[in-house]
Amino acid sequence: PASFAVDAAALDRPWRELQAEVHPDRHAASDDASRRLALQASARVNEAYRALKDPVERGRYLLHLRGIDAFDETDTRLPLDFLEAQLERRERAAAAAEEGDVEALDDIVADIRAEARERERELATLLEPPGDGARATAVLRELRFLAKVADDVGAMAEALDA
């Protein structure tokens, strides 16, 4: 069903089953057209799997089904208080990285991920019918931004661990 709430772990079995059916290796002895179709089908199955596993892509797809381009390049607004909070996090992370404080960086990432989980819960509610596409779009943009900040801070911690 078209729902934001997905058991990510439960996706693995159906993905493997679909991949077993369409994997190009199963069609190696087939004609060129069949091999090409198998390759395309395999790519689509992988694309769908990645979209369902990633909350940002899953939300984006569900909004797309409603005719909403959540990441329309002409509208990149985010609330000022949200942006300020992320800037402060980045500054704290930079200071922690400069001090070589991996634990502080890990704490910052944990805080970001906790906030992201809150946004995911809100998004799940907003995407249930009848839904609120405008608010869901705003929350999804924040969620994407949080994912980027978490990745960046995580990379700082990894660089110190190396």
Side-chain angles (χ1 to χ4, degrees):
S3 172
F4 185 78
V6 171
D7 180 358
L11 290 174
D12 289 343
R13 186 180 42 77
W15 171 70
R16 283 190 181 96
E17 290 171 0
L18 280 171
Q19 270 301 351
E21 288 179 32
V22 300
H23 197 277
D25 289 349
R26 287 194 67 190
H27 303 275
S30 300
D31 59 64
D32 285 346
S34 294
R35 286 194 309 269
R36 215 174 13 261
L37 287 173
L39 187 61
Q40 290 172 348
S42 179
R44 295 288 292 171
V45 167
N46 285 333
E47 179 183 326
Y49 177 72
R50 281 190 302 275
L52 289 172
K53 289 281 270 193
D54 180 351
V56 172
E57 289 304 313
R58 188 169 60 244
R60 182 181 193 177
Y61 179 72
L62 290 170
L63 286 169
H64 172 76
L65 291 176
R66 297 177 185 189
I68 299 170
D69 180 2
F71 302 137
D72 179 3
E73 293 180 13
T74 62
D75 183 7
T76 58
R77 290 174 289 165
L78 285 166
L80 186 57
D81 59 335
F82 173 80
L83 291 172
E84 287 172 346
Q86 304 324 306
L87 179 61
E88 185 213 301
R89 276 185 171 139
R90 285 184 183 274
E91 289 171 349
R92 284 193 345 253
E98 192 173 298
E99 295 170 10
D101 191 345
V102 176
E103 188 175 319
L105 291 170
D106 289 344
D107 288 346
I108 294 168
V109 170
D111 287 344
I112 296 167
R113 291 197 173 129
E115 185 175 340
R117 284 189 298 277
E118 290 174 21
R119 295 295 193 291
E120 288 176 28
R121 285 190 289 276
E122 183 178 1
L123 190 57
T125 301
L126 292 166
L127 289 171
E128 289 299 317
D132 181 345
R135 179 69 188 135
T137 297
V139 171
L140 185 61
R141 287 182 184 156
E142 291 176 5
L143 185 59
R144 180 173 72 165
F145 200 97
L146 289 169
K148 175 69 172 133
V149 174
D151 288 347
D152 291 349
V153 176
M156 289 178 188
E158 286 178 19
L160 291 177
D161 280 341

